[in-house]
Amino acid sequence: MIRLAQLCLVLAAAGLWVASRLTWVQISSFDGLGQPKTADLSGATWSTALIPLALLVAAAAVAALAVHGWPLRILALLVAAASAGMGYLAISLWVVADVAVRAAQLADVPVADLLDTERHYVGAALTLVAAIVSLTGSVLLMRSATGARSNAARYTRRPAAETDAPAAAMSERMLWDALDEGRDPTNPDNKGR
């Protein structure tokens, strides 16, 4: 399950990197002196958190190999929080009423010179898909942390009170001697043959 979670996280990081390279907003401006100019604002320019989030998710994919138990749960919660941030960045492009002022600031264009702004939704949609994929990876990490705990509990040594009485009464050397003779030391009636 951890391998599948890591694959989800790597895919989400790759999706964020691609989204950061795509055009999110395009602005047209005219200063009255020359030809109208067009500037493309990439995802990394429009949402500066895309690259750090991609690095965080990729690092989480690698860290999932090294941590187990409660640190893996904390890592899963961190990835879930990053997924929420990705979703916010993607949805904000759709719900913000006017992107012109922010686009002008990012492109270093006076607002008075703006002619038009155009939103491109492919990068935001890819970011939203990356958020869903990384959230899936987070859930898988959390489930693998819980599953690892139950598996570890299954293989822990039982206390002496719960063990069979014949084996508990025998010393370690006697247990090995019984095994060498082909007998089951936990069952006195069984000669092991």
Side-chain angles (χ1 to χ4, degrees), residues 2-3 17 32 34 36 43 46 57 70-71 121 126 140 145 149 176 187:
I2 285 188
R3 299 284 186 240
W17 184 82
W46 184 257
V57 173
W70 65 267
Y121 296 107
L126 189 56
L140 290 173
R149 187 185 70 185
W176 283 111
N187 188 355

Short mmCIF file of all heavy atoms in Angstrom, two decimals, residues 2-3 17 32 34 36 43 46 57 70-71 121 126 140 145 149 176 187:
data_model
loop_
_atom_site.label_atom_id
_atom_site.label_comp_id
_atom_site.label_asym_id
_atom_site.label_seq_id
_atom_site.Cartn_x
_atom_site.Cartn_y
_atom_site.Cartn_z
N ILE A 2 2.04 1.18 0.65
CA ILE A 2 2.92 2.35 0.68
C ILE A 2 3.44 2.66 -0.72
O ILE A 2 3.57 3.83 -1.09
CB ILE A 2 4.08 2.13 1.68
CG1 ILE A 2 3.55 2.28 3.10
CG2 ILE A 2 5.20 3.10 1.45
CD1 ILE A 2 4.58 2.27 4.17
N ARG A 3 3.71 1.63 -1.49
CA ARG A 3 4.20 1.85 -2.86
C ARG A 3 3.15 2.59 -3.70
O ARG A 3 3.48 3.48 -4.48
CB ARG A 3 4.55 0.52 -3.54
CG ARG A 3 5.62 -0.25 -2.85
CD ARG A 3 6.97 0.36 -3.15
NE ARG A 3 8.01 -0.49 -2.58
CZ ARG A 3 8.87 -0.09 -1.67
NH1 ARG A 3 8.81 1.14 -1.21
NH2 ARG A 3 9.80 -0.89 -1.21
N TRP A 17 4.24 20.32 -11.04
CA TRP A 17 5.35 20.91 -11.80
C TRP A 17 4.88 21.31 -13.20
O TRP A 17 5.19 22.41 -13.68
CB TRP A 17 6.53 19.94 -11.87
CG TRP A 17 7.70 20.54 -12.55
CD1 TRP A 17 8.64 21.38 -12.01
CD2 TRP A 17 8.06 20.39 -13.93
NE1 TRP A 17 9.55 21.74 -12.96
CE2 TRP A 17 9.22 21.16 -14.14
CE3 TRP A 17 7.51 19.68 -14.99
CZ2 TRP A 17 9.84 21.22 -15.38
CZ3 TRP A 17 8.14 19.75 -16.22
CH2 TRP A 17 9.29 20.51 -16.41
N GLY A 32 0.32 53.28 -25.18
CA GLY A 32 0.10 54.45 -26.01
C GLY A 32 1.29 54.83 -26.87
O GLY A 32 1.21 55.77 -27.65
N GLY A 34 3.72 52.24 -28.39
CA GLY A 34 4.06 51.24 -29.41
C GLY A 34 2.89 50.32 -29.67
O GLY A 34 1.72 50.70 -29.54
N PRO A 36 0.46 47.03 -28.94
CA PRO A 36 -0.04 46.36 -27.73
C PRO A 36 0.83 45.16 -27.38
O PRO A 36 1.34 44.47 -28.25
CB PRO A 36 -1.46 45.91 -28.12
CG PRO A 36 -1.85 46.80 -29.24
CD PRO A 36 -0.57 47.12 -29.98
N GLY A 43 1.85 29.35 -14.05
CA GLY A 43 1.36 28.93 -12.75
C GLY A 43 2.32 29.26 -11.63
O GLY A 43 1.91 29.63 -10.53
N TRP A 46 1.77 33.00 -11.07
CA TRP A 46 0.45 33.31 -10.53
C TRP A 46 0.28 32.76 -9.11
O TRP A 46 -0.22 33.42 -8.22
CB TRP A 46 -0.63 32.76 -11.45
CG TRP A 46 -2.01 33.13 -11.00
CD1 TRP A 46 -2.90 32.33 -10.37
CD2 TRP A 46 -2.63 34.40 -11.14
NE1 TRP A 46 -4.04 33.02 -10.11
CE2 TRP A 46 -3.90 34.30 -10.58
CE3 TRP A 46 -2.23 35.61 -11.70
CZ2 TRP A 46 -4.80 35.36 -10.54
CZ3 TRP A 46 -3.12 36.67 -11.67
CH2 TRP A 46 -4.38 36.54 -11.09
N VAL A 57 5.48 17.38 -1.67
CA VAL A 57 4.83 16.10 -1.96
C VAL A 57 5.86 15.08 -2.44
O VAL A 57 5.80 13.90 -2.06
CB VAL A 57 3.69 16.31 -2.99
CG1 VAL A 57 3.12 15.00 -3.44
CG2 VAL A 57 2.60 17.17 -2.39
N TRP A 70 3.46 6.29 14.03
CA TRP A 70 2.91 7.64 14.18
C TRP A 70 3.62 8.68 13.33
O TRP A 70 2.98 9.62 12.88
CB TRP A 70 2.83 8.06 15.65
CG TRP A 70 4.15 8.19 16.35
CD1 TRP A 70 4.80 7.23 17.07
CD2 TRP A 70 4.98 9.34 16.38
NE1 TRP A 70 5.99 7.72 17.54
CE2 TRP A 70 6.12 9.02 17.14
CE3 TRP A 70 4.87 10.62 15.85
CZ2 TRP A 70 7.15 9.93 17.36
CZ3 TRP A 70 5.90 11.52 16.08
CH2 TRP A 70 7.02 11.17 16.83
N PRO A 71 4.96 8.59 13.05
CA PRO A 71 5.54 9.57 12.12
C PRO A 71 4.94 9.48 10.71
O PRO A 71 4.79 10.49 10.03
CB PRO A 71 7.03 9.23 12.10
CG PRO A 71 7.28 8.54 13.40
CD PRO A 71 6.03 7.77 13.67
N TYR A 121 -7.60 27.76 -17.92
CA TYR A 121 -7.97 26.89 -16.81
C TYR A 121 -7.28 25.53 -16.81
O TYR A 121 -7.48 24.75 -15.88
CB TYR A 121 -9.48 26.69 -16.81
CG TYR A 121 -10.24 27.97 -16.57
CD1 TYR A 121 -10.92 28.59 -17.61
CD2 TYR A 121 -10.25 28.55 -15.31
CE1 TYR A 121 -11.61 29.78 -17.39
CE2 TYR A 121 -10.94 29.73 -15.08
CZ TYR A 121 -11.61 30.34 -16.12
OH TYR A 121 -12.28 31.51 -15.90
N LEU A 126 -5.34 20.91 -13.73
CA LEU A 126 -4.27 19.95 -13.43
C LEU A 126 -3.87 20.03 -11.96
O LEU A 126 -3.59 19.01 -11.33
CB LEU A 126 -3.07 20.20 -14.35
CG LEU A 126 -1.96 19.17 -14.33
CD1 LEU A 126 -2.51 17.78 -14.67
CD2 LEU A 126 -0.89 19.56 -15.32
N LEU A 140 -3.89 6.63 1.68
CA LEU A 140 -3.18 5.34 1.62
C LEU A 140 -2.04 5.28 2.64
O LEU A 140 -1.80 4.24 3.25
CB LEU A 140 -2.64 5.11 0.21
CG LEU A 140 -3.70 4.83 -0.86
CD1 LEU A 140 -3.07 4.79 -2.24
CD2 LEU A 140 -4.43 3.54 -0.57
N ALA A 145 -0.14 3.04 7.73
CA ALA A 145 0.37 3.23 9.10
C ALA A 145 -0.50 2.46 10.08
O ALA A 145 0.01 1.84 11.02
CB ALA A 145 0.39 4.71 9.46
N ARG A 149 0.56 -1.14 12.22
CA ARG A 149 0.41 -1.30 13.66
C ARG A 149 -0.32 -2.60 13.98
O ARG A 149 0.07 -3.33 14.89
CB ARG A 149 -0.34 -0.12 14.26
CG ARG A 149 -0.37 -0.18 15.78
CD ARG A 149 -1.21 0.90 16.33
NE ARG A 149 -2.61 0.59 15.99
CZ ARG A 149 -3.61 1.38 16.24
NH1 ARG A 149 -3.41 2.54 16.78
NH2 ARG A 149 -4.84 1.03 15.93
N TRP A 176 15.10 -26.58 23.35
CA TRP A 176 15.95 -26.92 22.21
C TRP A 176 16.21 -28.42 22.14
O TRP A 176 16.25 -29.01 21.06
CB TRP A 176 17.27 -26.14 22.25
CG TRP A 176 17.10 -24.72 21.82
CD1 TRP A 176 17.19 -23.62 22.58
CD2 TRP A 176 16.81 -24.27 20.50
NE1 TRP A 176 16.96 -22.49 21.85
CE2 TRP A 176 16.73 -22.86 20.55
CE3 TRP A 176 16.59 -24.90 19.28
CZ2 TRP A 176 16.44 -22.08 19.44
CZ3 TRP A 176 16.31 -24.12 18.16
CH2 TRP A 176 16.24 -22.73 18.25
N ASN A 187 3.48 -29.48 23.48
CA ASN A 187 2.45 -30.50 23.62
C ASN A 187 3.12 -31.74 24.20
O ASN A 187 3.78 -32.48 23.48
CB ASN A 187 1.82 -30.78 22.26
CG ASN A 187 0.62 -31.68 22.35
OD1 ASN A 187 0.28 -32.20 23.43
ND2 ASN A 187 -0.01 -31.91 21.21
#
